Amino acid sequence: MINYKTHPDWEKEVQKLTNGKGVEHIVEVVGGSSIAKSIDALASQGHIYVIGFLENMEANVNLFALLAKQARIQGINLGDHRAFEDFNKDLDQINIDPVIDTVYSFDQAKEAYEHQMEGAFGKIVIDFNK
């Protein structure tokens, strides 16, 4: 796991950890300038799945880097509840667990959003039952 706060050039760390190969799949939630970093971290013929744009809805993309890696970028919208359940079953099968930064109670929602704005590593969860 690579923390973007301790490794602001996380794409270089990905390349280092993979001996220059890069990774085959990236779930991109930041958008903006992060797309370029995702392309740099990608393996040849890798996939980037864009599901969010926390930084910016627009991005500058180095088309040469995209073409050289024969990368695929796919936007993903939210689906229905059944699709979400199917997605979670697939994640379980390939042993991918989300990184949870902090779990807040509903009464702490304001603190949760403040924490997110400060830059969390992983997901911020608001537990309605807590």
Side-chain angles (χ1 to χ4, degrees), residues 6 8 13-14 18 20 33 38 41 47 54-55 66 80 82 90-91 93 111 113 121-123 126 129:
T6 57
E13 188 68 13
V14 167
T18 61
S33 63
S38 289
H47 304 263
L54 293 172
E55 178 187 295
L66 184 71
D80 58 33
R82 191 180 130 256
D90 291 342
L91 287 179
Q93 287 180 352
E111 290 88 348
Y113 283 104
F121 179 71
K123 300 295 180 191
I126 299 175
N129 297 314

Side-chain angles (χ1 to χ4, degrees), residues 81-115:
H81 187 71
R82 191 180 130 256
F84 178 69
E85 289 175 347
D86 291 344
F87 173 73
N88 283 312
K89 286 178 190 173
D90 291 342
L91 287 179
D92 285 342
Q93 287 180 352
I94 57 176
N95 295 319
I96 294 180
D97 293 317
V99 176
I100 306 295
D101 182 291
T102 309
V103 178
Y104 290 92
S105 69
F106 182 73
D107 293 340
Q108 297 172 306
K110 182 179 176 187
E111 290 88 348
Y113 283 104
E114 288 171 351
H115 185 164

